Amino acid sequence: MVMHFVKYHGTGNDFILIDDRGEVWQSRLDRETIAHLCHRRFGIGADGLMLLQNHPELDFRMVYFNSDGRESTMCGNGGRCISAFARRLGIGGDMLRFEAIDGVHQSAFLEEKVQLKMGKPRDLRQMSPDTYWLHTGSPHFVGFEQGNIQDFPVFERGKAIRHDTAYEGIGGTNANFVQVMEDNTLFVRTFERGVEDETFSCGTGVTAAAYAYLSQKAQTQKLEDVAIQTLGGELTVTIEDFGTEGERVYLQGPATFVFEGEMEI
């Protein structure tokens, strides 16, 4: 059976996207097949694969799999890319509402960028003056590092934290390493579970880094924009009414079409 796919990336975090409104592919794409499709030498190559499916009340449903073939928790850059894909398919208008594994999200198209409303961060724990753990749709360790983050051993340190026994009960954690630049831009590098490597960008990861950064500043703001630099490009995390019950968190950045094609499954 021939599968048509489209590939997008969000600041280097890349995804295979499939229109599954006919509910054909979820039952055919087992873990091994998804891992093969995501393989960078033997398949299409991607950090993850997403299915866009119908939803009875919303614009669509997002079903996300990591490159290891396992269905995963929320992916922020994936949510922005699948929104761009939905628009390409002619779904909705300049604002979309969709269901992901962690609940309902809203996305908006702002010039060349896609803004995604994230779930409210929860379970924030400060483990040391410079390390945090929290859940932003996916679990994230955040460590603030001194010196040039581009020289940091992300793979070695990230892999150790991802497999730390403290996180066994949740299937491991993602690990983010952050440098606060002179202009207060955060340079964030992320080791992602399920990919089992550093990715060029991670949407829920930069959201976690921005939230931990503002928590570290111990400020309550009506509106706070945090500029993010990743290996794959620039993102912005906006938090409205930070530190209050009504706070709202948005992730904004490009969602770029790469190519489309067909594969025999």
Side-chain angles (χ1 to χ4, degrees):
M1 188 173 183
V2 176
M3 180 192 77
H4 183 267
F5 68 89
V6 174
K7 184 170 175 178
Y8 275 79
H9 79 85
T11 54
N13 197 191
D14 56 344
F15 308 99
I16 299 163
L17 293 122
I18 300 167
D19 180 359
D20 194 34
R21 286 175 292 176
E23 297 186 9
V24 171
W25 291 108
Q26 188 162 11
S27 61
R28 294 176 181 270
L29 296 176
D30 57 21
R31 181 183 170 190
E32 182 179 357
T33 302
I34 293 170
H36 174 74
L37 291 171
C38 291
H39 198 286
R40 297 195 179 277
R41 289 179 173 81
F42 300 110
I44 299 165
D47 291 326
L49 179 148
M50 285 180 282
L51 303 177
L52 186 149
Q53 297 181 337
N54 284 322
H55 190 282
E57 300 173 356
L58 306 176
D59 290 300
F60 61 91
R61 175 182 287 113
M62 164 185 170
V63 183
Y64 177 71
F65 301 88
N66 275 328
S67 60
D68 64 359
R70 297 179 185 271
E71 187 171 1
S72 185
T73 46
M74 181 55 186
C75 177
N77 285 329
R80 295 188 310 99
C81 286
I82 200 170
S83 296
F85 180 46
R87 193 184 206 191
R88 182 182 178 90
L89 293 173
I91 298 172
D94 289 336
M95 187 170 292
L96 298 169
R97 296 180 71 237
F98 66 93
E99 182 183 51
I101 195 168
D102 65 334
V104 176
H105 292 267
Q106 180 176 291
S107 55
F109 299 92
L110 309 174
E111 297 180 351
E112 300 300 315
K113 297 180 179 180
V114 180
Q115 183 189 71
L116 177 68
K117 185 177 182 182
M118 305 292 288
K120 186 175 179 179
R122 57 183 173 84
D123 301 333
L124 175 68
R125 300 199 300 265
Q126 185 171 8
M127 299 179 292
S128 77
D130 293 317
T131 59
Y132 296 77
W133 187 90
L134 66 159
H135 205 288
T136 55
S138 291
H140 283 278
F141 167 93
V142 178
F144 290 91
E145 305 297 334
Q146 303 300 317
N148 188 348
I149 198 69
Q150 295 196 58
D151 297 327
F152 191 82
V154 171
F155 181 82
E156 292 79 6
R157 286 286 301 279
K159 184 176 181 180
I161 293 168
R162 181 260 186 269
H163 291 288
D164 192 300
T165 55
Y167 306 111
E168 279 183 341
I170 57 170
T173 188
N174 301 286
N176 305 271
F177 305 98
V178 185
Q179 178 186 355
V180 182
M181 311 292 280
E182 290 185 2
D183 61 355
N184 289 320
T185 295
L186 304 185
F187 199 123
V188 184
R189 296 179 63 185
T190 305
F191 182 97
E192 283 200 52
R193 67 174 188 175
V195 179
E196 306 308 329
D197 203 348
E198 181 178 11
T199 54
F200 271 45
S201 177
C202 174
T204 55
V206 301
T207 301
Y211 198 85
Y213 173 65
L214 295 182
S215 298
Q216 194 175 52
K217 291 173 64 177
Q219 293 182 358
T220 299
Q221 301 285 346
K222 288 294 183 183
L223 177 65
E224 189 79 41
D225 288 335
V226 181
I228 307 289
Q229 179 68 49
T230 69
L231 294 178
E234 298 176 356
L235 295 162
T236 303
V237 176
T238 300
I239 304 179
E240 297 178 351
D241 296 325
F242 175 76
T244 72
E245 285 297 317
E247 67 184 8
R248 295 170 298 282
V249 181
Y250 300 89
L251 172 68
Q252 181 175 309
T256 306
F257 170 81
V258 184
F259 62 85
E260 62 183 319
E262 293 181 342
M263 284 192 73
E264 184 75 31
I265 301 296

